[in-house]
Amino acid sequence: MQITKLKLKGFLGIKKGLGLDEIELDFAGLSGLVAFSGPNGHGKTSILDNCHPYRALASRSGALQNHCFLRDSSKELSFIHQGDTYRTLVKVDAQFGKQEGFIWKNDEPQVDGKVKNYDQYIENLFGSPALFFNSVFAAQGGQKLSDLTTGELKKLFSEFLRLDKLIEYEETAKAAANLLAGNIQTVTRDIDRVTDTVNELTKSADQYSKKAVECEIIKSEIDRTTGCLRDVEKEVATLRDQAAAENATKKRIADMKAEADRIEAEITVECNRNEQQLFVINKKLARTRLEFDFENKLFAEKDSIIKAEKQTVEAEERLSQVRTQLTTARQEQAAAQTDAKYYALEHLKHINMLERLDSNPDIAQLEQEIIVSKRDSADLARRDPACQSSTCSFIVRALAAKDSLPGLEGKLSELKDRIAKEAAEITGITLELGRQKSTAGAKLKEMSDQVFQLEKEERHLGGLIAALKSTADKAPRLRMAERNIAKLHSEVTEIEAEISRTTNDHQRTKTEKTDRLSGITRKIEALASSLGDVAQKLAKAESNAEMFRQAIESKQKFLTDLLVEKAAIERDIKSLDTAKKEVAGLQTQKIAMTNEQAEWRYLQHACSKDGLRALEIDSVAPSISGYANDILAKTFGPSQSVRFITQDPETGSEVLDIMVIREDGTETPLENLSGGEKVWSLKALRLAMTLIAKERSGRSFTSSMADEEDGQLDAENAQNFIRMYQAFMSSGGFNTCFFISHRPECVAMADHVVRFSKGEVTVQ
């Protein structure tokens, strides 16, 4: 994979580090060592974390939307892989946590936006995220090889060794064996079932005669019960005729009760209607009396109401004048406050500009480059006089440093002069802004005092008006009360007369309907005394008839079941020989399937993680050690080497331990080394695994990434660390290696530098 372009939108790391919502970087034409350089917190790790097509940030946990802040955030990466051009686009909705993934190969769309299809396509190109982030991509704070468990290492080995075929063979054999096991269980159950059938059929012959006798007994019981049913049905017919006569009398009684209920309902309705009429009239009387009392009471307050009305008008006129003055004063106060804030911010802004000029990072960078150039050019003094080579890398670097030194010193002097001139101009502006700030502050205080006094008077007038309002608001009502008192007195007299008439009319109607109800009740009592108990006798007779019918039905059903069982026994006796032959056939089938299952189990164990796959993993350990030692030798010489141990020499159990071999031949486990010593071995093994992954997996990796792995090393060893990248690229045929470093001496060794500063990123 050769990266050509990266475009990010809505990423938190870019917003915090560079102050940008969106950034686009062109990496086309970059090869060799590419250094990311700049102060901490300027987005270097955020950019490197996105230099791959996976939907994750290698050095930060959580889903991609957790690191974005816009609803239309996106990550667009263009690269060349195995001669084809690719463009990937991941759209992120940071608010609702939704993602879409798109891929184009040679401008032809490959996936439909579903992230599941996007992830599968990327894994088919570059392998699983676990393999990618444990080989070609070394994230900041990422998991070290020494931290991985044996199982995790074996899983990585399985992926880049392409052991998926053996895994497929194992799963296929396991599925076939499990299928046969299920079939064997089914045949076993069939054998047990048919055997049980044979045993039951053998017992059936003994039951045949017994069933025949039971059938004859049930037939005689059915005939006897049928005779009893006919006698009871005759009794039921007689009682039904008697019940019909009684029902006519009961219907007449029911009609009379309905008439009585209707009269009672009319009396109830009449009472309710009268109560409602009286309630409405009394309510009207109470309301009219209340108005009459209220008007008299209000008339007694006449003098105080007129006085409060006059005082309220005067206070409201003064309040209107105060509010007009207050509006003007507040406008002048806001203008003064705006001026004071403007001059204060401008004053602070120019002070900050002076501080930034004092700490210009370009001066420190140029001074560091001058130091490096002086040190490299000083190496000419140690040149062997007999050496006349003009192509030796040592001589070329020293001569280049000597030639570049005057230019660097001139750039440094020019930069310092320009900064001094800018500082003088800004200092003059800052003094003038300070004077304007003081004047605006005095004006703001004057207007604030005036606003305070007007607001105080406004609150006083508002309180006075509120206190008078309840009394003054009664004035319109007072004038109306003077006109209403005589009218209300007349209405009270008329309502009292209406109540008396309504009460007398209701009492007369209620007496008439109560007399009619008493006559109907006496007639109902006379008819009810003539009724007998025919209905009770009829119910008992019908119950007996139903009991006999159910008994006959139950015995008929029982007889039918006995006849069916008898016929089934006759059929079972005939099928006994067939069942015995079926048992013999099923047993032969079970033996054949058991033998086939054993063959599939053998293939399953042969392809398992303890079989051929374990042998493949054991065979790759020496290759990883060889690549790692080759990289260490090209970097440091023979002072240190490593090897993998895949089997415990004492117990014979499977392990994946890392041993370090010193220059004197002694060995020690990796965990016994210091932090700085571990860095070399772990990095060499990681790079070796990347070379093996490229060699065995068939995936053409051409770029690698590393984030600040030289932090624990001193200046000299940090440069050796960069030389390790160079050895790795040479051994594996890698075109590009992106790395982040804060060491100027390491950045100076890069072929290209991506510089990060506030608000911009430049590629050199």
Side-chain angles (χ1 to χ4, degrees):
M1 178 180 69
Q2 185 69 30
I3 302 172
T4 57
K5 183 184 293 184
L6 174 64
K7 183 177 181 180
L8 301 176
K9 180 180 180 181
F11 276 75
L12 290 170
I14 304 303
K15 182 67 174 179
K16 293 178 180 178
L18 297 170
L20 301 175
D21 288 348
E22 186 173 351
I23 188 170
E24 181 175 349
L25 297 176
D26 186 0
F27 293 123
L30 299 186
S31 61
L33 289 173
V34 180
F36 284 17
S37 176
N40 278 328
H42 276 58
K44 299 186 299 301
T45 297
S46 295
I47 294 294
L48 190 68
D49 267 353
N50 283 287
C51 287
H52 60 79
Y54 293 94
R55 291 187 309 108
L57 300 185
S59 64
R60 291 172 172 83
S61 60
L64 196 61
Q65 59 263 23
N66 296 340
H67 307 289
C68 299
F69 64 93
L70 295 178
R71 287 204 60 187
D72 59 343
S73 300
S74 63
K75 166 186 172 179
E76 183 176 351
L77 181 70
S78 300
F79 57 88
I80 300 172
H81 182 64
Q82 293 182 335
D84 295 309
T85 60
Y86 289 86
R87 182 167 67 92
T88 64
L89 174 62
V90 178
K91 296 182 177 180
V92 182
D93 185 339
Q95 180 176 348
F96 294 101
K98 295 181 180 179
Q99 294 187 34
E100 293 181 288
F102 302 90
I103 301 175
W104 292 267
K105 176 182 178 182
N106 298 323
D107 296 327
E108 292 292 329
Q110 304 295 304
V111 295
D112 55 2
K114 295 181 179 179
V115 294
K116 180 180 179 181
N117 297 335
Y118 177 94
D119 293 342
Q120 186 61 52
Y121 193 99
I122 295 302
E123 287 198 26
N124 291 339
L125 275 182
F126 301 112
S128 69
L131 175 63
F132 191 86
F133 295 124
N134 279 287
S135 55
V136 298
F137 197 112
Q140 187 182 63
Q143 193 176 26
K144 301 180 178 64
L145 290 179
S146 57
D147 297 334
L148 296 177
T149 64
T150 300
E152 290 171 335
L153 277 171
K154 288 177 66 176
K155 185 176 181 181
L156 288 177
F157 288 172
S158 296
E159 181 173 356
F160 66 68
L161 290 175
R162 302 304 295 269
L163 301 182
D164 48 344
K165 283 294 182 184
L166 292 177
I167 295 174
E168 290 177 8
Y169 295 156
E170 178 191 10
E171 292 176 351
T172 301
K174 180 179 179 181
N178 290 340
L179 178 61
L180 287 169
N183 292 339
I184 291 170
Q185 290 179 357
T186 301
V187 171
T188 301
R189 287 194 296 270
D190 290 342
I191 291 172
D192 294 340
R193 175 181 53 78
V194 178
T195 301
D196 291 340
T197 301
V198 170
N199 294 334
E200 291 297 325
L201 291 174
T202 303
K203 298 176 183 178
S204 296
D206 300 334
Q207 301 294 325
Y208 185 75
S209 298
K210 182 178 178 181
K211 296 295 181 183
V213 173
E214 287 181 2
C215 288
E216 294 302 322
I217 293 172
I218 294 300
K219 287 179 181 178
S220 64
E221 290 179 355
I222 290 172
D223 292 340
R224 185 172 62 256
T225 306
T226 302
C228 295
L229 175 62
R230 284 195 292 268
D231 294 339
V232 173
E233 286 177 341
K234 290 178 182 179
E235 181 183 0
V236 168
T238 302
L239 290 171
R240 282 178 177 168
D241 292 338
Q242 297 174 3
E246 280 197 353
N247 287 338
T249 302
K250 289 179 179 179
K251 185 177 184 304
R252 186 179 176 191
I253 292 173
D255 292 341
M256 295 176 73
K257 285 183 176 180
E259 176 67 14
D261 291 341
R262 183 183 63 78
I263 293 172
E264 286 183 348
E266 288 178 355
I267 293 172
T268 302
V269 169
E270 181 67 24
C271 290
N272 290 337
R273 182 164 52 244
N274 181 70
E275 289 177 359
Q276 290 176 357
Q277 288 176 348
L278 289 174
F279 175 78
V280 171
I281 297 171
N282 282 317
K283 185 177 180 181
K284 180 179 179 182
L285 177 61
R287 183 171 61 250
T288 305
R289 283 176 175 170
L290 184 63
E291 290 180 8
F292 183 74
D293 294 341
F294 177 78
E295 300 291 13
N296 279 329
K297 183 179 178 181
L298 185 65
F299 194 74
E301 301 177 13
K302 179 177 179 180
D303 294 340
S304 59
I305 292 173
I306 294 174
K307 180 180 179 181
E309 183 181 27
K310 180 180 179 182
Q311 291 176 341
T312 301
V313 171
E314 294 173 351
E316 287 177 342
E317 290 176 354
R318 175 54 187 162
L319 179 61
S320 176
Q321 296 173 0
V322 169
R323 285 177 174 169
T324 301
Q325 295 173 4
L326 183 58
T327 299
T328 303
R330 283 174 174 165
Q331 291 173 349
E332 294 181 5
Q333 180 191 29
Q337 188 174 20
T338 300
D339 290 344
K341 183 177 180 181
Y342 169 76
Y343 288 120
L345 290 175
E346 286 296 311
H347 185 259
L348 179 61
K349 174 182 174 182
H350 283 74
I351 290 175
N352 290 335
M353 290 171 62
L354 288 173
E355 292 176 352
R356 284 196 296 272
L357 287 174
D358 291 340
S359 58
N360 190 300
D362 292 339
I363 292 178
Q365 180 67 32
L366 285 170
E367 289 175 344
Q368 182 61 40
E369 292 179 4
I370 290 171
I371 292 172
V372 173
S373 296
K374 286 181 177 180
R375 184 190 62 198
D376 289 345
S377 60
D379 290 342
L380 288 173
R382 297 194 295 271
R383 180 181 181 183
D384 189 343
C387 178
Q388 300 299 320
S389 173
S390 61
T391 60
C392 173
S393 61
F394 174 82
I395 300 302
V396 169
R397 184 172 68 250
L399 290 171
K402 182 179 180 182
D403 293 341
S404 65
L405 186 58
L408 290 173
E409 290 174 341
K411 286 174 65 178
L412 178 60
S413 177
E414 180 182 349
L415 178 60
K416 287 182 177 180
D417 291 343
R418 179 173 56 81
I419 289 173
K421 182 178 180 181
E422 290 179 5
E425 293 176 356
I426 294 172
T427 298
I429 295 172
T430 303
L431 292 174
E432 178 60 26
L433 287 171
R435 288 191 295 271
Q436 295 288 349
K437 173 183 172 184
S438 298
T439 301
K443 177 66 175 177
L444 175 61
K445 184 178 185 309
E446 177 187 349
M447 296 313 303
S448 297
D449 291 342
Q450 185 177 348
V451 168
F452 175 78
Q453 293 300 326
L454 289 171
E455 287 177 342
K456 181 178 178 181
E457 185 176 358
E458 180 188 32
R459 288 192 297 272
H460 169 70
L461 290 170
L464 178 60
I465 292 170
L468 294 170
K469 186 172 180 61
S470 60
T471 303
D473 287 347
K474 297 179 182 179
R477 190 70 185 84
L478 174 64
R479 289 185 280 274
M480 186 183 297
E482 293 174 344
R483 298 190 297 269
N484 289 344
I485 290 177
K487 178 184 175 184
L488 290 171
H489 182 269
S490 176
E491 289 180 359
V492 168
T493 302
E494 291 177 1
I495 293 170
E496 288 174 344
E498 184 181 359
I499 291 173
S500 178
R501 289 193 302 273
T502 302
T503 303
N504 294 334
D505 291 344
H506 168 68
Q507 188 61 41
R508 183 176 59 257
T509 303
K510 181 178 179 183
T511 300
E512 293 173 356
K513 291 186 177 181
T514 302
D515 292 342
R516 287 176 58 196
L517 179 62
S518 298
I520 293 172
T521 302
R522 286 192 296 272
K523 292 178 182 180
I524 291 173
E525 290 174 352
L527 290 172
S529 63
S530 65
L531 296 175
D533 60 349
V534 175
Q536 184 177 0
K537 292 177 181 179
L538 176 60
K540 183 176 180 181
E542 289 177 340
S543 176
N544 290 335
E546 181 63 25
M547 179 182 66
F548 286 130
R549 290 191 194 96
Q550 291 179 356
I552 292 170
E553 182 181 355
S554 176
K555 293 178 185 297
Q556 287 283 9
K557 185 177 183 301
F558 187 55
L559 177 61
T560 302
D561 292 341
L562 285 174
L563 292 173
V564 171
E565 291 178 10
K566 181 181 175 184
I569 291 172
E570 291 174 350
R571 292 192 301 272
D572 290 344
I573 292 172
K574 295 178 183 179
S575 61
L576 181 59
D577 291 338
T578 302
K580 290 180 179 179
K581 292 178 182 179
E582 185 179 357
V583 170
L586 289 170
Q587 288 175 338
T588 301
Q589 184 180 357
K590 179 179 178 181
I591 292 171
M593 287 191 294
T594 301
N595 292 335
E596 185 179 358
Q597 182 195 27
E599 294 175 356
W600 281 111
R601 290 295 184 199
Y602 176 79
L603 179 60
Q604 174 190 347
H605 294 311
C607 297
S608 69
K609 64 179 182 178
D610 298 322
L612 295 174
R613 285 154 56 192
L615 294 176
E616 286 283 350
I617 291 175
D618 288 344
S619 68
V620 79
S623 299
I624 294 175
S625 300
Y627 272 124
N629 291 331
D630 181 56
I631 292 172
L632 289 170
K634 289 180 178 179
T635 306
F636 302 102
S639 61
Q640 182 174 303
S641 59
V642 295
R643 71 183 180 96
F644 262 124
I645 298 178
T646 59
Q647 190 176 57
D648 191 313
E650 297 181 0
T651 64
S653 60
E654 184 180 88
V655 296
L656 282 173
D657 293 335
I658 302 172
M659 301 296 293
V660 177
I661 307 172
R662 300 185 184 279
E663 191 171 7
D664 59 2
T666 59
E667 291 189 359
T668 183
L670 179 69
E671 60 265 21
N672 292 343
L673 299 181
S674 65
E677 291 176 307
K678 285 182 181 179
V679 170
W680 305 113
S681 300
L682 288 173
K683 185 60 180 179
L685 287 169
R686 186 189 189 100
L687 296 175
M689 282 182 58
T690 303
L691 297 178
I692 292 293
K694 178 178 180 179
E695 179 182 294
R696 298 287 187 93
S697 68
R699 293 186 173 93
S700 180
F701 295 117
T702 59
S703 298
S704 66
M705 301 85 175
D707 188 351
E708 296 189 68
E709 295 186 293
D710 55 12
Q712 301 182 58
L713 306 174
D714 56 30
E716 182 179 355
N717 281 327
Q719 290 178 297
N720 288 333
F721 206 77
I722 305 305
R723 294 188 181 97
M724 182 179 285
Y725 289 151
Q726 295 171 333
F728 159 72
M729 293 175 67
S730 173
S731 298
F734 279 77
N735 295 330
T736 312
C737 177
F738 296 91
F739 69 94
I740 294 177
S741 178
H742 287 285
R743 297 180 177 276
E745 58 272 18
C746 294
V747 174
M749 297 176 68
D751 298 293
H752 301 278
V753 179
V754 180
R755 297 196 181 278
F756 289 72
S757 58
K758 192 63 176 179
E760 66 175 352
V761 179
T762 57
V763 181
Q764 300 176 353

